[in-house]
Amino acid sequence: MATADFVIVGGGIVGVSIAAALAREGLDVVLVEQGRIGAAASGRSQGLLVPPDDPALAPFFSRTTEIVARLASSGPDDCDFDTAPIEAMLVALDHSSLEALEEAAASFQMAHVAVQRIGADDAVAIEPQLSHEVRAGLTVPEVRRVSADAVTAGLARVATERGADIRTGEAVRRVLLDRAASVPRVSGIATDLDVIETACVVDAAGPWARLVSRTVGRDLRVAGVRGWILVTEPLDTGMRSVVIEAGFTHAAGGFGPHRLPTVGSLAQSEGATGEGPPSIAALIVPDGVGGVVLGATEASSISDSPSGAEAVGLIARRAARVVPTLAGTSVAWSWSGLRPVTPDERPLLGPLPGIDGFWVAAGHGSRGISTGPASGEAVAAALCGADPGVDLTPFAPGRFDVPVLV
C-alpha cells in the first residue's frame, strides 16, 4: 500500500500541470492515468493557443502562453511552438455567420482581446486562398500553434523530474471515503494494481471526471463532446494563416452535451451509437510543413468508440467551401477526441462541496491547451493554501447542482 499527499486522477494537460506544480513544492504526488499520458483530448487537439472570449479565462491564457514558451525553450522538445504569433482570423460567409462574427467581436472585446473587424477584400489580402463567398472577417491577435501532445508529455516529464510518481496503464476503480466524520472525507483510492492512502484526490479525468465523482456518490456536470480532425498530406497548399469560420452550424435533432439521450430515443434509432449528430464550423490551420489541419466538429457522445464518417465528410465540405483550393489536396489521416464540457463552458476548478479532500479540475472543453497549464497551476496553489493568482469563484464545482447518489 502506497501513501501520498495528493493523488491526481488523469494524465491530460491539466492533471500533469497540477502534478508538476505540487511536486515543485516538494510534496508527495501520485498521478494515475488509465491509458498513456495525453491519450484523450490533450493528445488529440489541433494545437492552437487562442485567446478566450471569456474574461474569466483570460488570465489563464496569458499565463499558459508563458508556461508553454518556457517549456519549449528549456526542454528537449520545442513542442512545435510558434515563438511569434501567426496571422489568424474569423470569417463569415453568410448571414448567420455574420451575426456570429459580431457576437464573437463583442465577446472578445469584453475579454480585452484586441480583435479588428475587416472587410472581404482585406480578408483575402491576408489569405489569398479564401473563397469569394467570404463577406467579412475578424483578425485575432496572439494566436500560436503548438503540439498539445508534446506539451502534455513535457509537463509530465517535468513532474517526474521533480519527484512525482506518474503511473500509466492503471485505472482508478474507486475513491475511498472515511464516512465516520459528519462530512465524508477522502481516505485514498483503489486502482487496478494498488491502494493509495491520501487525504486529497484531484479529479482531472477530463470527459471521465463524472465517472470518478460517482464513486464518491456525486454526479458532476461534465459531459463528453467528440471532435474530429483531418490532416492533409505535406504538400504546399500556399496557406499561411489560421482561418476559423464564425459560429457553428448546429445539426437538427442533436441531443446536446447536457440533453442526454433517453433509453427510448436510443431504442427508436436504428444503429444508434450514443453519439449525436455533429455541429460544424470550418477551422483551417497550416501545420508549418506544407500541410493543413482541418476541423472542427462537436458531437455529444456517451461512447468511448467514435463513429465519425458523417463528421469527416462535413469537415471536408466545409473546408473546401471556405478555401476552395483545398478540394484537390489529399487527406493523410483523421482522428477524434472526447472533450470534457460543462453547461456554461467554464471548467470546474476547486473543492467539491460535501466531500472533504475531493477536488475537481476538469471541463475545459476545446480550451484545454489554451488554459489548462495555468488553471492546473492555480489549482495546485489553492491546494497548498496559497494565492492562486486568479479568482477561482467563477469555476467553483458547486455552482451547478451536483446530485447526491444514494
Side-chain angles (χ1 to χ4, degrees), residues 285-357:
V285 184
D287 64 7
V289 293
V292 179
V293 182
L294 305 174
T297 57
E298 294 182 346
S300 303
S301 180
I302 58 171
S303 171
D304 289 346
S305 302
S307 54
E310 181 181 2
V312 167
L314 283 172
I315 290 171
R317 287 192 292 273
R318 208 68 171 206
R321 181 186 178 193
V322 176
V323 178
T325 54
L326 288 173
T329 304
S330 297
V331 175
W333 64 85
S334 67
W335 71 82
S336 73
L338 273 181
R339 302 172 185 137
V341 299
T342 65
D344 62 6
E345 298 187 356
R346 287 178 172 175
L348 306 178
L349 304 172
L352 184 66
I355 306 288
D356 283 352

Side-chain angles (χ1 to χ4, degrees), residues 5 20 57 83 104 144 191 248 285 291 294 317 332 346 355 365 387 389:
D5 295 321
L57 293 169
T83 55
R144 289 173 168 86
T191 76
F248 272 83
V285 184
L294 305 174
R317 287 192 292 273
R346 287 178 172 175
I355 306 288
D387 180 5

Side-chain angles (χ1 to χ4, degrees), residues 49-61:
L49 293 172
V50 180
D53 58 1
D54 181 344
L57 293 169
F60 291 143
F61 172 76

